[in-house]
Amino acid sequence: MPFDYKNELLQNLDKLHTTPMGVDRIRRNLGLGDDVKDVVACCRAKIESSAAAIERKGKNWYCRIDGCVITVNAYSYTIITAHKA
């Protein structure tokens, strides 16, 4: 049975974080206004949605949902970037 990477990411959502530069990049790339106070919480909600398609390629997870792709480092659980698909 293949390893369930999606389940591994979902089990570690409490470790999800990003850098200050990451916050700015994600906010800009997704067109999030200042009304979204917590960018990480916004990404976490998208990732844990049942509609999310999560796959692991190499050292990153890619979560596709709502017309965007969220890239998360598989080892540090850092949200690297998010962009519109």
Side-chain angles (χ1 to χ4, degrees), residues 5-29:
Y5 287 113
K6 180 177 180 176
N7 193 36
E8 182 184 353
L9 177 58
L10 294 176
Q11 288 178 351
N12 289 286
L13 284 179
D14 60 315
K15 298 177 184 176
L16 204 62
H17 66 282
T18 194
T19 64
M21 286 178 51
V23 168
D24 294 338
R25 182 172 46 252
I26 294 163
R27 189 179 300 279
R28 181 180 62 248
N29 290 351

Side-chain angles (χ1 to χ4, degrees), residues 15-81:
K15 298 177 184 176
L16 204 62
H17 66 282
T18 194
T19 64
M21 286 178 51
V23 168
D24 294 338
R25 182 172 46 252
I26 294 163
R27 189 179 300 279
R28 181 180 62 248
N29 290 351
L30 295 183
L32 301 176
D34 290 333
D35 54 319
V36 175
K37 300 297 181 198
D38 190 342
V39 171
V40 173
C42 178
C43 290
R44 182 180 294 119
K46 289 183 179 295
I47 292 168
E48 64 188 357
S49 167
S50 62
I54 300 171
E55 67 177 328
R56 182 169 171 177
K57 289 184 182 176
K59 64 179 182 172
N60 294 327
W61 278 293
Y62 297 91
C63 176
R64 290 172 174 73
I65 184 166
D66 296 337
C68 71
V69 179
I70 302 168
T71 306
V72 179
N73 181 279
Y75 303 108
S76 65
Y77 299 98
T78 304
I79 304 170
I80 300 166
T81 191

